[in-house]
Amino acid sequence: MPLPATLAPRLLAAMRIVFGLVFLSHGVSKLFGLPPFPMPMNGMLYAAAALELAGGALLIVGLFVRPVAFVLSGMMAVAYFMAHAPQGPFPIANGGEAAVLYCFAFLYMAAAGGGAWSIDAARHRS
């Protein structure tokens, strides 16, 4: 039995919050070592960590969801093509599955917005 369409804005918000939390954890790992990041940090990884931390936090609260998600989608596309695609064409084999999933989930959020439980939605209601 399919879920009622009236749940879509709340499920979108739940998806945004979960993706934001998990994405933020990547930035915490890189910047604060919780859990330890397995590679030495360089300038590009510091930039990625800053975007993961700030972007994840903004997604969690639902502020500026469309532009933030668009930037994060692009970041994950770059991550895939720089770090994973050179290792082979298939995400399952080159370790790029998460990057692809993040890229397209963020692209969807850039188009759909933050859903029902977001600061953006509250600002538009008032």
Side-chain angles (χ1 to χ4, degrees):
M1 179 168 119
L3 295 172
T6 56
L7 290 178
R10 290 182 286 280
L11 290 174
L12 173 59
M15 182 180 94
R16 183 199 80 239
I17 292 165
V18 169
F19 271 76
L21 282 167
V22 176
F23 205 63
L24 179 123
S25 72
H26 287 278
V28 169
S29 174
K30 286 182 183 87
L31 290 176
F32 305 113
L34 300 168
F37 188 66
M39 299 170 53
M41 293 292 287
N42 60 33
M44 193 168 301
L45 287 174
Y46 279 113
L51 285 170
E52 290 163 351
L53 202 62
L58 288 169
L59 287 181
I60 291 166
V61 299
L63 184 61
F64 308 124
V65 171
R66 290 176 192 262
V68 166
F70 184 75
V71 168
L72 296 180
S73 176
M75 180 185 114
M76 293 316 297
V78 168
Y80 179 79
F81 285 108
M82 286 187 72
H84 300 286
Q87 299 175 39
F90 304 111
I92 191 81
N94 67 23
E97 297 160 281
V100 170
L101 291 173
Y102 275 125
C103 179
F104 282 92
F106 292 148
L107 188 60
Y108 175 70
M109 288 180 218
W117 307 314
S118 68
I119 292 174
D120 289 345
R123 289 185 342 174
H124 288 8
R125 281 191 294 260
S126 60

